[in-house]
Amino acid sequence: MAAYIVRRMFYMIPLLLGVTAVVFLLFNVVGGNPAYQILGKNASQEEVRQLEHQLGLDRPLVVQYFDYLRQLVCFDFGRSWATKQKISTMIREGLVPSLSLTVPSFVIGSILSVLLSLVVAFYRNRLWDRIIVILCVMGMSISILVYIIAGQYYLSFAFGLFPISGWEPGLKGIPFLVLPAGIWIIVGLGSDVRFYRTVILDQTGKEYVLTARAKGVSERLVMLKHVLKNAMIPIVASMTMALPFLFTGSLLLESFFGIPGLGNMSINAINASDFPVIKAVTFFGAFLYMAANLLGDILYRLFDPRIRLE
Amino acid sequence: MMRLTAVLFFWCSILSFISCSLKQPVPGNVYRGVLADRIKGFDPSQCSDLYSHICQKQVYEPLYEYKYLARPYDIQPCLAESLPRISADGLEYTIHLRKGIFFSDDLCFPSGKGREVVARDFIYSIKRLADVRTRTTGWWLFEDKIAGLNEFRFSTRQLKTSDTADYLSDVAGLAATSDSTLVIILTKPCPYFKYILTMSYAAVIPHEAVEYYADEFLNHPVGTGPYILKEWRRGLRLVFEKNPKYVHGLYPVEGGADDSAAGLLNDAGKPLPFIDRLEYYTFTETQPMILNFLRGNLERSGIPKDNYNNLINPDKTLREEYTDQGIQFIRAEDLDLTYTTFNFKDTLLGSRRKLRQAISLAVDVDKIIDLFYNGRAIRAQGPIPPGLFGYDATFRNPYQGRDVERAKRSLAEAGFPGGRGLPEFEYLTQANTTSRQMAEKFTADMAEIGIRIKIIGVTWPEFLERLKTSKFQIAGLAWMADYPDPENFLQLLYGPNEAPGENAANYKNAEYDSLYRKITVLTDGADRLACIKRMQAIVAEDCPWIFDTHRVSESLCYSWLKNYKPHIVSPEQVKYFRIDTDQRKRMLGQ
């Protein structure tokens, strides 16, 4: 397995190169000249040229791209053009608020979805199954914006159950996170429950379940001990793929609830043509995604010894 | 059933607990303000956006500032002791500084104690703006104005980023004759130079802070203003507290009869500031902003477009349920202009005046005001907005206001009856929802007279680049006054300011240019007014722009916020505000 992991890590290199090339080209070809953004509308052409020189934007694209790669290899992302802060500091500052929202949401959401999917699988083709599946489809069909706007208006403003927006570090921040985390959970619940239900139902038709039932094992025990264990393989794989998004945050939730996380920071960097930050965040996101992929494969192997990683 | 009841009871208890823990104590002497975007930072050389300006003003101060209550806008000394003594030829400004003004305490000073401000600090601050490596967005304000400053700027071009600029070298137009006397010599008379000295760009900064914090100077403000920065969590909140070294601000003692009647002179002569702590919250979305305001978590708020009809009656009054909550509706005319510019480098649009007039006549400005501004704008007849010297309320632009029949006739006279023979024009706009919608409206208006429009939606940097390099045909733009002088608007059509300068239209008219040169040196009076009127008539006839609107600013504020008077040129003058904390406690308690 070690050889497999090493090989996969090598495979990540061309993929990361591809991502960096696409980001670099998009920024340089489509994004417009950042010197205009930095200097503002009153800048003269001469000032623009000088800033381009200072930022190294007047060098050939190939040279700029290799310089970008050098920064990535050295993990030296430099400073933001807009805020002049070190990008590593910015990411660190943004990561805590993002994770304080996404990690609890992910954990609670995952437990809830698995439990609900067990319930619907247990009551398959009965009233509870139908009600929950219909609710899931409804939940999936409604845009997250509706949950945010309605939740913020009714639950926070009209009923005063939660703060309207804001964020605080530590335990003081919990009240600010309840509503956005609730929305994150509800939005993800529909698709997760439907997927997990399918996976669990798929297992319930297997021979080993029939054997267990034939042996007189109770239906609850069959579901919890046998079916769930085997259904966890695709479930864990699906959860693993969600991990990178915990780090990159949620743009909409962060914007509406005033959470100063990485999602908020990324969109601000895009609006400000802050290329060093965009480069760092996209690289960080791509790396996490690939790492999560690898982790998913390893977990597959751990859950199912029949799978061989070659 | 019992189990369900127990579960429901559990969740209700949790919600009640959370709800109770939310009951925030009513704040003390704290002002809670709004920023609709992240600020760029606290470097006065980068103060090109409204929100940076609002925050920097709490910390930094220039030589002069606007009188808080006076309208039309006028200036008064801030760090200067008196108004500048200007020589008879209008070139030499002698400025005496207040004594006993100190920078706030900071690590950048030896022993951490802020030192006294001296005249050399202002010279340093201006030279730093001129330094190419500072990358200021405000050089254009000083360019060609101060003797020797352009040459100083040129000399900094040779320097590397790591080199220390020789700020001790002389600039002919900047001299400190003593620690408290600053002399500025201009290259030519400039009646609006006094306004430039009020801008955040002209604020005084200590060289120690620039050297100590280097790249991060914009994150560590060290000024002389009424507040010091205590906390800055980007994208969330900025907190300021009273600067203990600020002793020189007094509430104005003069104001109009309206000001007196509105209670704006109740604090006359009292030392500033009144509020102990400022908390500015960043809202990139409008819903949380307005909901927080309506809950009493903010003192003031703008009125989002989407919430307008829920808050304001059709007769432009605040709905009764909100007036009952002690909310006040504040309305003030902005010093701005929205306009659509033609590019005169385009052979067709630049050469056919009748074509431009036809396009102008086809634009339904009233509908634009209704659709996109909720009626919060007035039709612009010329480049100068109401409230500035030279604005003529009686002037009617013959090509402003929708008249489709006249537009069609004009188009035929231009040689394109029914739009036949015309190519499809490109309309340059930003790729955001509102700009796109406005472009769609323009396209629909043009279709009525047979002109085809293709919308080009681009990012803001690309939009600027296309304007600077004249790669557009028609574009929608806006301009807000940097200072309350008509020159600030009229320079936008001055020939030598053509792209990449501010004259994005590349409009050139010899008579207009000659008159512009006159108004830049004339002081306000009959001669200047006559020149401005003629310039307005020229551009109305030539139609380099479609004059669209002058916007009106509307906002809401609670009655516990005292001394609030909207100031368009220098908004959020919080040092004059006072919170009636008892009233707020009472009202929020209710």
Side-chain angles (χ1 to χ4, degrees):
Chain A
M1 190 157 82
Y4 173 79
I5 294 171
V6 172
R7 201 164 54 246
R8 279 289 301 272
M9 288 175 89
F10 273 108
Y11 288 163
M12 282 164 74
I13 294 171
L15 284 169
L16 281 172
L17 280 175
V19 170
T20 55
V22 169
V23 171
F24 183 82
L25 282 175
L26 273 177
F27 185 81
N28 281 282
V29 177
V30 184
N33 187 342
Y36 288 103
Q37 172 84 32
I38 294 167
L39 290 173
K41 58 189 172 142
N42 300 311
S44 69
Q45 205 65 0
E46 178 210 344
E47 288 170 283
V48 171
R49 294 290 158 257
Q50 271 166 351
L51 181 57
E52 284 175 345
H53 183 67
Q54 282 181 33
L55 300 177
L57 298 171
D58 55 350
R59 295 173 302 164
L61 281 182
V62 179
V63 177
Q64 289 184 52
Y65 181 63
F66 277 103
D67 191 41
Y68 170 27
L69 292 183
R70 183 191 56 74
Q71 289 177 333
L72 297 182
V73 170
C74 303
F75 286 99
D76 168 24
F77 297 110
R79 286 178 185 270
S80 153
W81 287 347
T83 69
K84 306 276 174 75
Q85 281 179 299
K86 279 188 177 166
I87 291 170
S88 52
T89 310
M90 292 173 76
I91 291 178
R92 203 173 55 241
E93 283 179 0
L95 207 53
V96 175
S98 282
L99 291 177
S100 66
L101 167 67
T102 55
V103 170
S105 315
F106 174 73
V107 173
I108 298 171
S110 300
I111 294 170
L112 263 181
S113 349
V114 173
L115 286 178
L116 272 177
S117 44
L118 277 172
V119 169
V120 290
F122 186 77
Y123 291 110
R124 60 191 171 279
N125 296 328
R126 285 151 68 183
L127 184 64
W128 276 114
D129 178 26
R130 295 211 170 111
I131 289 173
I132 293 176
V133 169
I134 289 170
L135 285 175
C136 286
V137 174
M138 279 171 63
M140 287 165 62
S141 314
I142 299 170
S143 158
I144 186 170
L145 262 177
V146 177
Y147 291 107
I148 293 174
I149 291 171
Q152 205 166 44
Y153 184 83
Y154 290 105
L155 301 180
S156 296
F157 175 67
F159 303 139
L161 293 173
F162 309 104
I164 293 165
S165 63
W167 186 82
E168 291 288 344
L171 292 176
K172 277 196 299 182
I174 292 175
F176 293 97
L177 294 171
V178 175
L179 183 58
I183 291 171
W184 175 296
I185 292 166
I186 288 169
V187 167
L189 214 54
S191 55
D192 285 351
V193 169
R194 287 199 65 208
F195 174 61
Y196 300 164
R197 176 184 176 272
T198 311
V199 170
I200 291 169
L201 285 180
D202 190 42
Q203 292 295 325
T204 54
K206 295 277 169 70
E207 291 296 329
Y208 71 88
V209 175
L210 190 64
T211 310
R213 282 176 182 149
K215 282 184 169 179
V217 180
S218 74
E219 194 62 14
R220 274 187 195 180
L221 214 57
V222 168
M223 294 300 283
L224 290 172
K225 196 174 171 191
H226 301 284
V227 171
L228 181 61
K229 191 178 172 189
N230 286 288
M232 280 311 281
I233 299 167
I235 290 175
V236 167
S238 147
M239 286 177 183
T240 315
M241 293 319 295
L243 288 178
F245 301 106
L246 306 187
F247 292 88
T248 51
S250 163
L251 168 64
L252 276 174
L253 285 171
E254 288 180 8
S255 295
F256 272 87
F257 289 98
I259 299 166
L262 281 183
N264 208 327
M265 187 191 91
S266 308
I267 198 69
N268 200 55
I270 291 166
N271 288 337
S273 295
D274 197 348
F275 192 31
V277 177
I278 298 169
K279 282 190 298 193
V281 170
T282 45
F283 175 76
F284 182 59
F287 177 78
L288 284 174
Y289 198 79
M290 289 171 204
N293 244 314
L294 178 59
L295 180 68
D297 287 352
I298 295 167
L299 289 174
Y300 246 91
R301 168 74 179 80
L302 293 178
F303 276 96
D304 188 351
R306 291 170 301 175
I307 294 171
R308 298 189 63 81
L309 299 177
E310 289 177 352
Chain B
M1 196 61 198
M2 282 289 286
R3 190 182 294 177
L4 188 66
T5 313
V7 168
L8 280 174
F9 178 77
F10 171 77
W11 283 110
C12 286
S13 309
I14 293 280
L15 284 176
S16 313
F17 170 75
I18 293 168
S19 178
C20 291
S21 68
L22 292 179
K23 289 228 180 268
Q24 294 168 348
V26 177
N29 192 10
V30 178
Y31 173 82
R32 297 152 311 161
V34 171
L35 301 171
D37 205 351
R38 287 188 181 210
I39 69 162
K40 283 185 180 173
F42 284 89
D43 183 345
S45 73
Q46 308 298 327
C47 187
S48 59
D49 63 291
L50 174 65
Y51 306 107
S52 297
H53 174 69
I54 286 172
C55 292
Q56 288 190 19
K57 198 166 46 184
Q58 316 308 336
V59 180
Y60 289 114
E61 290 179 307
L63 286 163
Y64 298 98
E65 64 185 352
Y66 288 97
K67 288 180 179 173
Y68 182 51
L69 300 176
R71 304 289 184 277
Y73 296 102
D74 195 8
I75 65 163
Q76 65 183 19
C78 181
L79 291 183
E81 195 176 55
S82 54
L83 290 176
R85 201 181 70 230
I86 305 171
S87 62
D89 59 4
L91 293 178
E92 191 173 306
Y93 284 55
T94 305
I95 298 163
H96 296 289
L97 306 184
R98 280 181 205 262
K99 294 192 177 88
I101 304 287
F102 285 82
F103 288 112
S104 59
D105 293 344
D106 191 89
L107 290 173
C108 68
F109 297 111
S111 75
K113 296 284 172 200
R115 62 164 174 82
E116 189 169 6
V117 175
V118 291
R120 285 187 304 281
D121 290 317
F122 288 92
I123 295 179
Y124 172 83
S125 304
I126 294 173
K127 281 180 169 176
R128 182 171 175 270
L129 273 183
D131 187 336
V132 168
R133 298 162 309 158
T134 305
R135 300 179 192 167
T136 180
T137 49
W139 166 244
W140 64 284
L141 289 159
F142 292 86
E143 190 172 18
D144 298 330
K145 290 196 175 68
I146 296 176
L149 197 61
N150 280 27
E151 290 74 13
F152 175 81
R153 181 175 175 78
F154 187 79
S155 71
T156 63
R157 277 189 210 155
Q158 328 302 331
L159 297 170
K160 289 180 187 162
T161 313
S162 54
D163 290 343
T164 310
D166 183 8
Y167 285 179
L168 296 176
S169 70
D170 284 342
V171 168
L174 292 171
T177 54
S178 72
D179 276 356
S180 61
T181 308
L182 173 70
V183 178
I184 301 176
I185 300 167
L186 304 186
T187 53
K188 60 182 178 187
C190 179
Y192 55 89
F193 188 68
K194 59 185 181 183
Y195 296 129
I196 292 173
L197 295 179
T198 68
M199 295 177 75
S200 289
Y201 288 116
V204 68
I205 54 170
H207 67 88
E208 292 93 334
V210 178
E211 287 153 13
Y212 185 81
Y213 292 112
D215 278 341
E216 294 242 17
F217 170 63
L218 84 170
N219 300 320
H220 297 276
V222 185
T224 61
Y227 293 96
I228 47 178
L229 180 68
K230 276 310 239 195
E231 182 196 333
W232 181 11
R233 189 165 263 283
R234 285 162 204 273
L236 176 68
R237 174 177 60 213
L238 290 110
V239 177
F240 299 88
E241 284 181 2
K242 253 185 186 177
N243 176 3
K245 291 200 164 177
Y246 180 85
V247 289
H248 50 279
L250 294 175
Y251 195 87
V253 291
E254 290 173 5
D258 291 352
D259 298 328
S260 185
L264 288 169
L265 287 170
N266 292 350
D267 289 314
K270 289 184 183 167
L272 302 173
F274 298 115
I275 297 173
D276 295 336
R277 180 182 161 97
L278 314 178
E279 294 177 356
Y280 276 97
Y281 293 90
T282 307
F283 293 100
T284 48
E285 296 294 337
T286 54
Q287 166 161 302
M289 177 190 75
I290 193 70
L291 295 184
N292 269 302
F293 171 76
L294 293 174
R295 273 226 143 219
N297 297 336
L298 299 168
E299 268 58 76
R300 290 185 54 232
S301 169
I303 310 175
K305 191 159 72 88
D306 296 337
N307 301 81
Y308 194 81
N309 294 333
N310 297 329
L311 296 162
I312 308 296
N313 292 315
D315 64 351
K316 298 281 171 204
T317 55
L318 187 64
R319 285 172 60 167
E320 203 179 329
E321 63 205 87
Y322 298 112
T323 50
D324 290 347
Q325 290 175 35
I327 297 174
Q328 297 168 333
F329 179 46
I330 312 280
R331 197 175 155 91
E333 283 173 342
D334 279 344
L335 291 179
D336 86 341
L337 171 73
T338 67
Y339 59 98
T340 308
T341 184
F342 300 108
N343 180 6
F344 274 57
K345 284 193 176 162
D346 181 90
T347 44
L348 194 56
L349 287 166
S351 61
R352 305 288 179 104
R353 183 197 287 177
K354 286 279 177 195
L355 172 62
R356 298 192 299 272
Q357 290 170 349
I359 293 174
S360 182
L361 283 165
V363 174
D364 190 351
V365 178
D366 289 333
K367 193 75 182 168
I368 290 170
I369 292 172
D370 181 41
L371 279 177
F372 302 111
Y373 300 114
N374 302 106
R376 287 179 283 182
I378 58 169
R379 273 163 52 173
Q381 304 292 331
I384 301 170
L388 287 191
F389 180 80
Y391 174 73
D392 182 358
T394 61
F395 176 72
R396 288 288 167 269
N397 184 325
Y399 307 102
Q400 210 274 5
R402 188 169 168 79
D403 187 339
V404 174
E405 289 315 308
R406 258 185 80 203
K408 284 179 176 171
R409 279 203 302 279
S410 195
L411 196 58
E413 287 166 25
F416 308 104
R420 285 187 292 281
L422 278 176
E424 186 179 53
F425 289 116
E426 287 184 354
Y427 181 94
L428 182 67
T429 188
Q430 288 182 67
N432 60 51
T433 310
T434 308
S435 301
R436 183 88 197 182
Q437 288 167 339
M438 289 173 123
E440 293 288 356
K441 177 77 187 85
F442 183 81
T443 307
D445 286 347
M446 291 307 112
E448 280 203 48
I449 60 168
I451 293 178
R452 288 169 299 130
I453 299 291
K454 181 183 175 189
I455 299 168
I456 309 287
V458 293
T459 60
W460 175 238
E462 193 179 347
F463 185 82
L464 285 177
E465 188 169 3
R466 280 173 175 253
L467 289 182
K468 298 278 180 194
T469 51
S470 298
K471 286 180 184 157
F472 73 99
Q473 288 183 299
I474 304 170
L477 289 167
W479 187 265
M480 293 182 77
D482 296 293
Y483 41 84
D485 191 279
E487 181 277 343
N488 193 226
F489 287 85
L490 296 171
Q491 53 106 13
L492 300 173
L493 287 167
Y494 177 53
N497 282 355
E498 68 178 322
E502 282 312 320
N503 179 4
N506 299 301
Y507 172 67
K508 281 177 196 157
N509 180 301
E511 188 186 357
Y512 181 93
D513 291 349
S514 160
L515 290 165
Y516 173 79
R517 282 189 286 273
K518 279 187 191 167
I519 64 135
T520 58
V521 292
L522 285 172
T523 50
D524 287 352
D527 287 351
R528 199 173 195 229
L529 188 62
C531 290
I532 290 169
K533 279 193 167 180
R534 178 66 195 138
M535 290 168 86
Q536 183 151 269
I538 292 170
V539 291
E541 192 60 33
D542 269 355
C543 222
W545 293 345
I546 302 165
F547 298 96
D548 292 329
T549 67
H550 301 300
R551 288 173 287 194
V552 175
S553 159
E554 290 179 354
S555 62
L556 303 173
C557 85
Y558 280 100
S559 54
W560 63 65
L561 179 66
K562 307 296 179 189
N563 299 340
Y564 173 65
K565 181 172 181 175
H567 198 291
I568 299 300
V569 186
S570 187
E572 285 279 295
Q573 304 221 29
V574 190
K575 67 179 176 182
Y576 298 107
F577 296 176
R578 187 165 55 75
I579 305 271
D580 186 333
T581 48
D582 290 337
Q583 187 188 344
R584 179 163 67 182
K585 205 169 180 180
R586 236 179 8 256
M587 292 175 76
L588 287 180
Q590 283 168 9

